[in-house]
Amino acid sequence: MNTMAEARLQTQKKSSQDGQETSLWSSGFGMKLEAVTPFLGKYRPFVGRCCQTCTPKSWESLFHRSIMDLGFCNVILVKEENTRFRGWLVRRLCYFLWSLEQHIPPCQDASQKIMESTGVQNVISGRAPGGAGEGQVPSHVRKEVQRILGHIQAPPRPFLLRLFSWALLRFLNCLFLNVQLYRGQMKMVQKASQAGSPLVFLSTHKSVLDGILLPFVLLSQGVGVLRVAWDPRTCSPLLRALLKKLGGLFLPPEANLSPDSPEGVLARAVVHAALAPLGLWTGALAVLRSLRRWGCGRRVCVRVNLAQPFSLQEYIIDARSCWGSRQTLEQLLQPIVLGQCTAVPDTEKEQEWTPVTGPLLALREEDQLLVRRLSWHVLNASVASSAVMSTAIMATLLLFKHQKLLGEFSWLTEETLLRGFDVGFSGQLRCLVQHTLSLLRPHVALLRIQQGDLLVVPRPGPGLTSLARLSAELLPTFLSEAVGACAVRGLLAGRVPPEGPWELQGVELLSQKELYCQILLLLHLLPQDLLLLQPCQSCYCYCQEVLDRLIQCGLLVAEETRGSQPACDTGRQRLSARLLWKLSGDFTDSDSDDFEEAEGRYFRLSQQSRCPDFFLFLCRLLSPVLKAFAQAAAFLHRGRLPDTESGYTEQLFQFLRATAQEEGLFECADPNLAVSAIWTFRDLGVLQQTPGPTGPMLHLSPAFASRDSQEKLGQFIWQFICS
């Protein structure tokens, strides 16, 4: 908090380009911020650090100390200085000479190492289902292993790799203005590669060009040849042979069979042994098919973000100590929704939406849990390391009908940086806004009014849906404050009318215990992939973080009640013996004691002039998800059940589209929100899944078969929505 406060104070200086002071929303300190150019230079945050709790050694050792001073580089900018030669001919052949100097490590024979792996040895000895038994000749097994390995990969050809990198370099220069790479992030990856352990890269697939762009970036930076996994069904035999020589991987058909099938046991064992030391990157042939569409438009800039590496071995050892008792969403929320109890259970939520695949089912239950929680860590790091683009900021401002785009764009950019998130743009403020509006031109209408002003109006229908999808990228930046604002809205829902004046809502006293409970209810309701909570982080710790953010941004003000000890008086506070010593990973028992100690602490909503708008802004960030859930609750008595999950998802999506046409809720007409609502209702016990002749079938559970129960579910969701 102190760092953010100091950064805010240091940004209070005159802008050389914009002399006029622009009035922005209050940031909680009663000051007015000026419209400064985005990208605050030395205050630019570092993003994407690994978990300090689960991987403390990696967090410390794989971090580059001077990372803030390294800046960016353009990886497709190759000049004479990037080669060992000089002269006028070198300047014309620098791309080709650069590709010849790329280091390509020699390919080692992996057949012997795979033969000695545990999985293959178990198949040979007959200890695995479908094994060959002890009577099989090992030479036959060796030939079979070599055949399977030949189907998966081939030794990369250095000449073809260099020729491909030269052609790709020329193509990328024709396609993009530049490809920016943060040197500090690349230094950490290079430091991890020097440790001698294999690197595994996981991608969030922001673009269809990831399959060719990212291997080129890593090869050009000296990391090595990245193995890219391709779908063999979309490639011809000739193309498959070429891609193998360029480092492509193709899984054999036997590897996709279920783990219980006796066929393909040796193939699955070879795949598991061959894919531990290789970095995988899922590619798609749609990359090549979409290049024509990309090349027809204007050249753009590309940004590649890499999160901090961490040791998988360290995570496996340390992460198990952070596991505690958890309950399902049905056990946590269903009694509260139906009015059967009011107390929030003192435990964490267990919600696993990781796709269940064959290799995952082959693991033990403990290892499956380890893989699922590892995926949450990776997803958290990938979202944190992704830069916020100007289109997301502008879409948010347009959806919430802000009047002064220049000033609010600058404010929102600054708030993004000060909350530890990065932005993927820079430049003069007016030029940035003009360029962003040009990118959003298909979704907005630009109207010129008197005195040269420009009126920007979102186009109804699909235009609003597209803007809502873009604005969702800004939600992780303000997620803690948005959760807190919606929780306060739910706490005031039964006391003050939603349309009541702000002064009337500010009269109400809010106890810290009530705020904790309301935040917990909302945390349990929201899906895990939206909250992006790390598995080692307790919900109670997150509740305190949410409350701190609300106080910090100026929405909540501590209220000193009569006879209570002042909040700033710490001299007479005593630490109880149970809090003097406790394990660092023990969050389940001792942290709930804060509920009892917080009963005498009260807060009020701040009466600053800008707080009502900021409060409404935060509530609207979560409104698409919550309104989609509320619409899904209203659809329960209209849907045709039983039905398959895909069928019921299509029913709900069509209902959301129809409701958007009637009520103007276009931000909810998203198929991803329909899927999220159905999965949440399934975990909540509203929908039950039973086996059917064509697959799992969804039907309404007996607990929510009545209209009264469905209305209670809708009321529980609507309390968090601010109209």
Side-chain angles (χ1 to χ4, degrees), residues 194-205:
Q194 294 171 1
S197 301
L199 293 179
V200 178
F201 293 91
L202 302 175
S203 172
T204 54
H205 298 294

Side-chain angles (χ1 to χ4, degrees), residues 62-129:
L62 295 179
F63 181 73
H64 201 276
R65 294 300 175 187
S66 59
I67 190 171
M68 300 298 181
D69 305 327
L70 295 178
F72 289 90
C73 67
N74 183 9
V75 296
I76 63 173
L77 180 61
V78 176
K79 299 181 178 179
E80 178 185 3
E81 292 78 10
N82 299 107
T83 66
R84 296 178 298 169
F85 309 99
R86 297 293 181 268
W88 67 271
L89 184 60
V90 175
R91 287 191 290 271
R92 287 159 177 78
L93 299 177
C94 57
Y95 286 4
F96 181 73
L97 295 176
W98 173 86
S99 62
L100 292 179
E101 295 178 357
Q102 295 302 307
H103 173 68
I104 299 177
C107 181
Q108 301 177 356
D109 185 15
S111 59
Q112 183 61 32
K113 187 176 181 180
I114 292 176
M115 283 293 302
E116 298 174 355
S117 64
T118 305
V120 175
Q121 290 296 322
N122 289 340
V123 174
I124 295 176
S125 61
R127 289 194 293 267

Side-chain angles (χ1 to χ4, degrees), residues 372-587:
R372 289 191 177 103
R373 298 192 175 181
L374 174 64
S375 65
W376 291 122
H377 273 291
V378 173
L379 182 61
N380 180 281
S382 63
V383 172
S385 60
S386 299
V388 177
M389 306 307 294
S390 60
T391 51
I393 294 179
M394 184 59 68
T396 304
L397 296 176
L398 293 176
L399 277 179
F400 301 153
K401 300 179 181 179
H402 291 272
Q403 303 296 327
K404 301 178 181 179
L405 290 181
L406 282 177
E408 305 294 359
F409 188 92
S410 175
W411 166 80
L412 205 50
T413 302
E414 181 184 342
E415 292 292 329
T416 300
L417 292 170
L418 293 176
R419 280 167 171 78
F421 284 80
D422 199 3
V423 294
F425 54 89
S426 62
Q428 295 182 352
L429 180 60
R430 186 174 297 273
C431 296
L432 274 173
V433 172
Q434 292 177 351
H435 177 67
T436 305
L437 290 177
S438 66
L439 294 177
L440 297 177
R441 191 64 185 268
H443 313 306
V444 298
L446 305 180
L447 305 175
R448 292 194 177 276
I449 55 179
Q450 58 182 358
Q451 298 179 354
D453 290 337
L454 190 66
L455 180 62
V456 184
V457 181
R459 298 183 186 273
L464 286 175
T465 305
S466 301
L467 292 179
R469 191 177 296 112
L470 288 172
S471 67
E473 299 177 5
L474 196 66
L475 179 59
T477 306
F478 296 89
L479 185 59
S480 299
E481 293 94 330
V483 170
C486 292
V488 172
R489 176 62 261 165
L491 196 57
L492 293 174
R495 306 181 185 180
V496 182
E499 63 276 3
W502 182 261
E503 292 78 10
L504 182 61
Q505 300 185 29
V507 174
E508 294 293 327
L509 281 178
L510 308 174
S511 70
Q512 185 169 340
K513 182 179 180 180
E514 292 175 330
L515 286 171
Y516 273 171
C517 294
Q518 203 70 16
I519 293 172
L520 270 180
L521 290 178
L522 186 55
L523 289 179
H524 291 332
L525 176 64
L526 293 176
Q528 193 77 13
D529 58 346
L530 176 69
L531 293 173
L532 298 176
L533 291 180
Q534 295 181 343
C536 57
Q537 184 180 11
S538 168
C539 284
Y540 297 100
C541 294
Y542 190 73
C543 286
Q544 185 60 49
E545 179 184 342
V546 169
L547 189 58
D548 291 342
R549 289 292 185 92
L550 292 179
I551 298 173
Q552 179 187 356
C553 68
L555 285 179
L556 287 185
V557 179
E559 179 71 15
E560 307 294 348
T561 58
R562 181 177 300 178
S564 64
Q565 183 178 349
C568 59
D569 185 10
T570 59
R572 298 183 180 181
Q573 295 182 6
R574 297 180 180 179
L575 293 176
S576 60
R578 59 185 176 183
L579 294 180
L580 290 178
W581 299 97
K582 60 180 180 180
L583 298 175
S584 59
D586 184 12
F587 299 117

Side-chain angles (χ1 to χ4, degrees), residues 261-277:
S261 174
E263 301 178 1
V265 177
L266 184 59
R268 290 192 292 271
V270 171
V271 168
H272 293 164
L275 306 185

Side-chain angles (χ1 to χ4, degrees), residues 459-466 468 656-657 659-670:
R459 298 183 186 273
L464 286 175
T465 305
S466 301
L656 293 177
R657 294 182 61 180
T659 306
Q661 296 291 338
E662 297 174 1
E663 304 179 8
L665 300 176
F666 291 98
E667 64 270 18
C668 302
D670 192 334

Side-chain angles (χ1 to χ4, degrees), residues 176-191:
F176 302 119
L177 288 173
N178 57 63
V179 177
Q180 293 185 351
L181 178 66
Y182 192 26
R183 288 192 180 97
Q185 295 176 346
M186 197 67 236
K187 286 290 184 182
M188 295 188 301
V189 175
Q190 291 173 347
K191 188 175 182 180

